[in-house]
Amino acid sequence: MSNALVIAIDGPSGSGKSTLAKRLARHYGLQYLDTGSMYRVATVWCVDRGIDLDDQAAVAVAVRQMPLEMVTDPGAPRVLLDGEDVTARLHTAEVSTVVSKVAVNLAVRAELKARQRAIIDAERTDGRSRGRGIVAEGRDITTVVAPDADVRILLIATPGDRLARRATERHGAADEHAIEATRDEVIRRDAQDSTVSEFMHAHEGVVTLDNSGWQPDETFAAAVAIVDAAR
Ligand code: DC
């Protein structure tokens, strides 16, 4: 039996998943896995190889060969591709505008799900990190990747709140221009992503946390209460 703690968090863009997941990981001394980064790095890998992202078979072959290492330290999460740190490239517009093409590829999803599962299981069993556990976040962690997680949270917020948060993150402000520049990333991508993952409604056993209008501290406190009640 393992006494490691596995926490799964899903939700749409701008719901505050990454902020919450990293903070929970630090609070409980766990590792942190951002699965969105894995779809993003798969995109970088294919783009760098000149692969047409609409060619689903070619993308799937390339992703199966991708030499990826996820560094799951919540204080400094990094993504190494063939040994090179590509973390800084993952949230550029070049990647954000096309990543959904890779994320809706079912063969890619199967490959990345297996890799995500292996990372989570390694923490659960003997622990690359003292066996304490992991917080994994994405779109299908509570449902497909880790439906057996100890705690499963679906983090949601109104589209207006999510847009304002992403705009502030990307452009330093949530003025009209920044909101318009971010709208595509948040609204169109969620619509596209939701064709392959159900992350707007909680499955049975998943706790929904609606943090519309909340500050990060309030979201964190509510999540800690959920985790502590479940342990
Ligand atoms: O959370 P993010 O914006 O970094 O996610 C990048 C893309 O990957 C986005 O299109 C959603 C998709 N994604 C997914 O389909 N499944 C996951 N578990 C995580 C992300």
Side-chain angles (χ1 to χ4, degrees):
M1 262 299 280
S2 156
N3 53 13
L5 175 64
V6 176
I7 301 174
I9 303 176
D10 285 328
S13 330
S15 59
K17 288 188 307 282
S18 299
T19 304
L20 174 63
K22 273 185 275 200
R23 202 160 158 189
L24 285 176
R26 285 197 300 268
H27 181 74
Y28 291 105
L30 309 176
Q31 296 297 291
Y32 162 68
L33 179 64
D34 169 10
T35 61
S37 285
M38 296 175 74
Y39 289 93
R40 289 174 180 273
V41 70
T43 305
V44 166
W45 175 249
C46 291
V47 167
D48 283 359
R49 259 142 211 82
I51 294 167
D52 174 3
L53 298 182
D54 291 317
D55 184 343
Q56 297 221 344
V59 168
V61 168
V63 171
R64 284 190 202 105
Q65 294 164 349
M66 174 172 64
L68 172 65
E69 185 190 341
M70 299 297 292
V71 179
T72 56
D73 171 358
R78 292 180 305 284
V79 177
L80 307 183
L81 187 55
D82 213 0
E84 186 195 339
D85 187 341
V86 294
T87 315
R89 287 182 64 191
L90 301 183
H91 286 272
T92 56
E94 182 202 9
V95 175
S96 295
T97 50
V98 294
V99 61
S100 275
K101 291 187 182 202
V102 175
V104 299
N105 183 319
L106 296 181
V108 167
R109 300 198 72 79
E111 171 65 20
L112 295 188
K113 173 191 166 187
R115 295 193 192 201
Q116 290 156 12
R117 189 71 222 185
I119 294 169
I120 293 168
D121 285 344
E123 293 304 326
R124 205 198 275 283
T125 51
D126 53 0
R128 301 188 314 187
S129 70
R130 303 151 290 164
R132 299 189 63 180
I134 190 162
V135 184
E137 54 125 322
R139 302 289 191 287
D140 59 350
I141 312 306
T142 64
T143 52
V144 176
V145 176
D148 55 347
D150 302 293
V151 182
R152 292 181 294 157
I153 296 172
L154 179 68
L155 195 60
I156 58 169
T158 62
D161 274 52
R162 297 190 289 107
L163 256 175
R165 288 176 194 159
R166 261 294 140 90
T168 307
E169 199 176 287
R170 295 279 191 262
H171 305 280
D175 56 29
E176 208 174 313
H177 170 77
I179 296 249
E180 275 323 303
T182 318
R183 188 177 296 278
D184 177 76
E185 188 185 336
V186 173
I187 306 296
R188 178 190 61 80
R189 235 189 40 196
D190 279 347
Q192 202 167 344
D193 294 336
S194 63
T195 62
V196 287
S197 300
E198 169 60 87
F199 55 83
M200 294 300 199
H201 302 102
H203 282 212
E204 204 186 326
V206 178
V207 180
T208 302
L209 199 54
D210 182 344
N211 69 4
S212 304
W214 289 7
Q215 293 301 315
D217 282 352
E218 296 171 88
T219 307
F220 175 67
V224 166
I226 292 167
V227 175
D228 288 346
R231 297 172 86 201

